[in-house]
Amino acid sequence: MLRLIIIALSVFGLAAPAQAEDGYELWLRYPPMERAIAKPYRDAMQRIILPGEPSETLSLAISELERGATGMLDRTPSIDEDAKGRGNIWLVSGSDNVPADTGIDLTDLAEDGYVIRTVTIGKTSGIVIASKSDVGVLYGTFHLLRLMQTRADITELNVSESPSVDVRIMNHWDNLDRYVERGYSGQSIWDWHKLPDYIDPRYEDYARAQASIGINGVSLINVNSDAMVLTPMYLEKTAALADVFRPYGIKVYQTARFSAPMEIGGLETADPADPAVQQWWAEKADEIYQYIPDFGGFLVKANSEGQPGPQDYGRNHVDGANMLADALAPHGGIVMWRAFVYSEHDDEDRAKQAYTQFVPLDGQFRDNVLVQVKNGAIDFQPREPFHPMFGAMPETPLMMEFQVTKEYLGFATHLVYLAPLYEEVLEADTYAEGEGSTVASVVDGSLQGQSLTGVAGVGNVGSDRNWSGSHFDQANWYAFGRMAWDLHADSEAIADDWVRMTFSNDPAFVTPVVDMMMGSREAAVNYMTPLGLAHLMATGHHYGPGPWVCDLGRPEWNPCYYHKADENGIGFDRTETGSDAISQYAEPLHDLYGDIDTVPENLLLWFHHVPWDHEMKSGATLWEELTRHYTLGVEQVADMRATWAGLEGLIDDGRYAQIAAFLGIQEKEAQWWRDSSIAYFQSISGLPLPDGLAPPEKDVEYYKAISHPFAPGN
Ligand code: GCW
């Protein structure tokens, strides 16, 4: 019946009615295309040409094309050995199979890169999707479908794509009991208890979504790891997931708890210099590869936040990482050794500690080790300068770690599109090898000649029906994949694609929503931590403001440590007169950041302790400017909400309503952030509010008393 209505409506040139949608389909919905524009797309989708038996991966490419064509065009292409006439889609895997006379040359492509080209071969014509590998064909297929979903012209295609980095991995911080650390989208999607016998169909849908954005690796459990995951019972479960992911080109990785030889191996020590420990890991690796022949390797958090590591035995990160690397090397596995380290026994500025520990080790890691570095030196804040390790270890491949889940950016309810943050970091110039030494060029290996490269994202995928806890958080998953594939991708173009695929191609919807997304990160910076402030979230769960927290055991557990507000001013002095963290940045950044007059204002309080009456570029004082930023943040969210209210009826009611409600939560919480922060900082500065600025609703004691012991994700 519904189908009849759709057909009837399309005959009259009307759009299909809004259908109930719950977000499960992500950006792969393939709704019917407007009849008026469908013709060239229908013409292009007559038959899929594939000589011989398709592999499992090529079968997935075929079924994806069928799914897209059926959904969007109400046409199922036939599958043929030979091309005929027009409308052929050749799926070509392997250089030797490229049809003659097309001029297509795959030589310079990465193994999983692809070309999509409009061709004429003799009397036939159509589109060739060609790659050296099956998975490259699958990626190319998703690309072609994206072009159709976003209504791009597909009549003259000449696309050539190779990924920027080798390893494009989502890190799950999922515990074996299904609780997700910093997860705001339900439980872990890995139902360990029922594995390996029950394979939730969701695993395959997950793999398909990941492949559609080029993700080729998944680490399954929390970096605060559990050694049990390396026992035979869990290896069997992991192998079952690996079997689901394999056809989608996705390798499985596991986190390795450094003390595993003691916890599950019965050894007295986990000292990497001990031959028995080395032997244990080598045998463990052999065992893992018996279960999972293409196992990717280990992700390790060691000597950080209480996790065990080589320093427990007087060894260093190289000793630990190389031991594991040696165990994996015979099987082709890699180690991703995290640089997110700071110690409760170290008084050095937390922002300096990773650099201090790692940079002297440059050049000593094995070839199959990637050092995984968070984008900033503290911790996934709304804004941080790029991590100073980027560029500072020319002999070591550094892998980027972004956070996709929004631990410090309002959890699942705030609409904050993260791609502009990723882009800002990737395009930042480290000056490591002179001007133009961008973080992206460090990560992709082009600047300093690394061959093994990677990008990781701490995922936001959980058991919620909509996967990510909110519809707009799907955009962060999507954008993470697209940017890991292309470190130079444009965040706005990605938002545009995502909005079209996820919601609608109607310009009356697309334009305002993309604008809203593009401004959303700066709005969050404004209402949470403007002008270079950081880590002022309530302690523990990080939900809401807590700038007044000053009394916890270790200095760096307290927001006070990060803002250092006193009656004279606010901000962390990281110049020579303070922690001298600026010395970790190359010239001219060292001088630029070190000088209060040249440091970018959006990083001012990250690097300087600034008098309240300091004159800002606008002519206003720092105090005035700070209060204005907080206020602006709330106004920006109110604008987003108003924009959304104007879009009612342009998409399905279900998603519309949930987003409207979440924006309401965001506005309320932005106001809370603004009011409580202004009230608190005013209690320190003792200054009057600038003229015309609304006073906080309540006094500072009211905000201090708010407590949320059960905030999620802690
Ligand atoms: O962002 C912080 C989180 C911790 C996390 C840690 C890390 C997994 O607050 O929950 O632990 O970083 O990255 O290791």
Side-chain angles (χ1 to χ4, degrees):
M1 179 63 187
L2 184 61
R3 204 180 143 88
L4 279 178
I5 297 174
I6 293 170
I7 292 169
L9 286 171
S10 15
V11 166
F12 296 108
L14 300 172
Q19 298 173 39
E21 298 214 40
D22 57 15
Y24 188 83
E25 300 294 329
L26 295 161
W27 47 87
L28 299 169
R29 292 160 53 251
Y30 307 136
M33 194 180 277
E34 307 77 356
R35 200 181 161 84
I37 61 161
K39 182 158 187 329
Y41 300 98
R42 286 177 64 91
D43 289 350
M45 291 288 240
Q46 315 228 3
R47 70 195 76 71
I48 299 167
I49 312 304
L50 189 108
E53 260 313 285
S55 67
E56 244 186 297
T57 302
L58 290 179
S59 300
L60 293 172
I62 294 172
S63 56
E64 200 65 38
L65 281 171
E66 289 176 336
R67 194 164 170 163
T70 312
M72 288 188 278
L73 306 165
D74 198 17
R75 133 158 320 190
T76 311
S78 60
I79 300 166
D80 283 316
E81 300 243 330
D82 300 309
K84 280 198 265 318
R86 297 181 304 146
N88 302 287
I89 299 193
W90 283 269
L91 298 183
V92 180
S93 173
S95 303
D96 296 345
N97 300 322
V98 174
D101 307 327
T102 53
I104 293 174
D105 181 2
L106 305 181
T107 320
D108 292 337
L109 286 187
E111 196 57 27
D112 50 358
Y114 55 86
V115 297
I116 309 176
R117 183 103 42 102
T118 304
V119 297
T120 301
I121 307 174
K123 290 188 175 137
T124 64
S125 63
I127 297 168
V128 172
I129 303 176
S131 172
K132 289 176 181 163
S133 64
D134 292 358
V135 73
V137 176
L138 182 61
Y139 292 155
T141 299
F142 278 114
H143 188 137
L144 177 65
L145 286 164
R146 181 201 335 145
L147 296 176
M148 299 178 62
Q149 286 168 282
T150 56
R151 310 297 188 254
D153 183 353
I154 61 161
T155 51
E156 297 282 339
L157 291 173
N158 189 4
V159 172
S160 178
E161 287 276 336
S162 279
S164 298
V165 297
D166 306 315
V167 181
R168 306 176 295 277
I169 181 172
M170 178 166 283
N171 293 173
H172 286 257
W173 284 358
D174 299 15
N175 295 339
L176 291 179
D177 64 3
R178 299 193 78 178
Y179 190 80
V180 181
E181 182 154 344
R182 312 312 179 182
Y184 314 104
S185 50
Q187 287 190 297
S188 170
I189 68 168
W190 318 129
D191 189 350
W192 293 103
H193 181 67
K194 300 195 190 80
L195 280 165
D197 300 311
Y198 175 62
I199 304 293
D200 189 329
R202 211 178 161 115
Y203 302 150
E204 181 153 6
D205 294 339
Y206 167 88
R208 170 175 169 250
Q210 294 286 33
S212 79
I213 51 176
I215 295 296
N216 66 359
V218 178
S219 59
L220 296 167
I221 76 157
N222 198 343
V223 287
N224 295 331
S225 188
D226 189 326
M228 197 180 258
V229 81
L230 301 176
T231 60
M233 177 168 63
Y234 278 88
L235 290 177
E236 210 185 317
K237 295 168 189 283
T238 304
L241 288 172
D243 290 344
V244 176
F245 298 161
R246 190 168 297 111
Y248 291 92
I250 297 170
K251 280 190 185 178
V252 158
Y253 297 74
Q254 278 293 14
T255 51
R257 186 161 162 86
F258 206 77
S259 50
M262 298 159 76
E263 290 173 32
I264 58 168
L267 301 190
E268 305 260 286
T269 175
D271 183 349
D274 187 315
V277 173
Q278 296 165 3
Q279 171 84 9
W280 187 87
W281 281 109
E283 285 169 9
K284 183 50 74 182
D286 295 346
E287 185 187 355
I288 295 173
Y289 280 89
Q290 277 170 20
Y291 286 92
I292 310 158
D294 56 352
F295 180 67
F298 293 139
L299 167 63
V300 189
K301 173 177 179 178
N303 294 121
S304 165
E305 301 186 325
Q307 294 298 307
Q311 292 171 352
D312 304 348
Y313 308 95
R315 319 289 171 197
N316 65 22
H317 294 294
V318 167
D319 301 324
N322 287 356
M323 172 190 62
L324 296 176
D326 289 343
L328 294 166
H331 309 281
I334 63 166
V335 173
M336 293 165 287
W337 189 268
R338 296 178 84 230
F340 177 71
V341 296
Y342 65 97
S343 162
E344 66 272 29
H345 309 298
D346 192 341
D347 286 335
E348 193 182 39
D349 175 3
R350 178 175 161 187
K352 291 181 72 179
Q353 292 184 29
Y355 180 112
T356 304
Q357 287 190 38
F358 276 86
V359 169
L361 305 177
D362 188 27
Q364 299 177 40
F365 291 94
R366 296 277 192 269
D367 289 346
N368 59 335
V369 176
L370 279 156
V371 174
Q372 182 168 317
V373 185
K374 287 188 181 180
N375 61 268
I378 299 277
D379 195 9
F380 299 139
Q381 296 303 299
R383 172 168 282 115
E384 293 179 63
F386 71 85
H387 202 303
M389 280 175 66
F390 290 111
M393 295 184 69
E395 306 297 323
T396 309
L398 301 186
M399 181 171 178
M400 173 63 77
E401 179 176 322
F402 286 127
Q403 196 173 45
V404 187
T405 189
K406 304 204 312 301
E407 174 183 355
Y408 296 98
L409 286 124
F411 297 5
T413 43
H414 292 210
L415 193 170
V416 183
Y417 176 53
L418 296 174
L421 184 163
Y422 303 157
E423 191 173 29
E424 179 177 295
V425 175
L426 290 167
E427 295 304 329
D429 198 340
T430 69
Y431 292 91
E433 314 280 338
E435 197 175 347
S437 306
T438 59
V439 171
S441 71
V442 174
V443 173
D444 72 15
S446 61
L447 185 73
Q448 294 164 326
Q450 275 83 30
S451 50
L452 181 62
T453 54
V455 173
V458 178
N460 65 354
V461 173
S463 62
D464 276 4
R465 181 73 192 158
N466 69 16
W467 301 91
S468 300
S470 83
H471 297 294
F472 271 95
D473 278 337
Q474 296 179 355
N476 293 326
W477 177 11
Y478 179 79
F480 163 68
R482 291 284 304 275
M483 293 193 96
W485 177 274
D486 177 4
L487 297 184
H488 299 288
D490 176 52
S491 58
E492 184 162 357
I494 294 173
D496 191 87
D497 282 347
W498 178 79
V499 170
R500 290 170 181 276
M501 296 161 82
T502 305
F503 292 111
S504 162
N505 277 288
D506 180 351
F509 184 85
V510 176
T511 309
V513 174
V514 170
D515 283 354
M516 189 167 103
M517 290 169 75
M518 291 306 292
S520 62
R521 184 273 187 126
E522 206 58 42
V525 170
N526 283 332
Y527 63 74
M528 289 182 180
T529 49
L531 299 173
L533 289 172
H535 221 301
L536 306 187
M537 296 74 195
T539 49
H541 50 61
H542 301 153
Y543 172 61
W548 42 79
V549 178
C550 290
D551 57 357
L552 300 179
R554 284 288 312 163
E556 73 283 348
W557 292 348
N558 294 290
C560 276
Y561 169 89
Y562 298 95
H563 65 65
K564 302 218 179 323
D566 56 28
E567 56 185 18
N568 301 316
I570 180 171
F572 199 124
D573 182 3
R574 294 193 162 100
T575 68
E576 286 90 347
T577 56
S579 78
D580 198 28
I582 55 164
S583 66
Q584 296 182 338
Y585 289 92
E587 283 303 358
L589 293 180
H590 167 271
D591 285 358
L592 188 95
Y593 290 161
D595 183 343
I596 195 169
D597 292 322
T598 56
V599 65
E601 274 190 353
N602 62 14
L603 294 174
L604 177 67
L605 305 179
W606 181 278
F607 287 112
H608 296 267
H609 189 74
V610 183
W612 294 111
D613 62 359
H614 171 76
E615 189 181 325
M616 303 289 285
K617 296 206 173 78
S618 65
T621 67
L622 169 65
W623 168 244
E624 289 164 348
E625 192 88 353
L626 186 69
T627 56
R628 278 182 200 163
H629 273 273
Y630 275 117
T631 307
L632 176 64
V634 184
E635 288 164 5
Q636 287 168 312
V637 179
D639 286 348
M640 285 160 61
R641 221 179 148 188
T643 301
W644 191 254
L647 303 174
E648 187 165 10
L650 295 183
I651 62 162
D652 53 286
D653 296 341
R655 290 187 299 172
Y656 173 83
Q658 193 194 64
I659 292 163
F662 281 14
L663 283 166
I665 296 174
Q666 186 175 5
E667 189 178 349
K668 192 161 86 182
E669 295 185 351
Q671 188 76 46
W672 169 33
W673 264 99
R674 180 242 180 227
D675 284 351
S676 62
S677 303
I678 291 180
Y680 169 68
F681 288 129
Q682 189 177 28
S683 76
I684 308 266
S685 74
L687 293 168
L689 286 183
D691 285 348
L693 208 85
E697 254 173 63
K698 312 273 189 195
D699 66 15
V700 67
E701 296 309 320
Y702 171 89
Y703 298 111
K704 286 186 186 177
I706 294 174
S707 130
H708 289 103
F710 306 116
N714 194 5

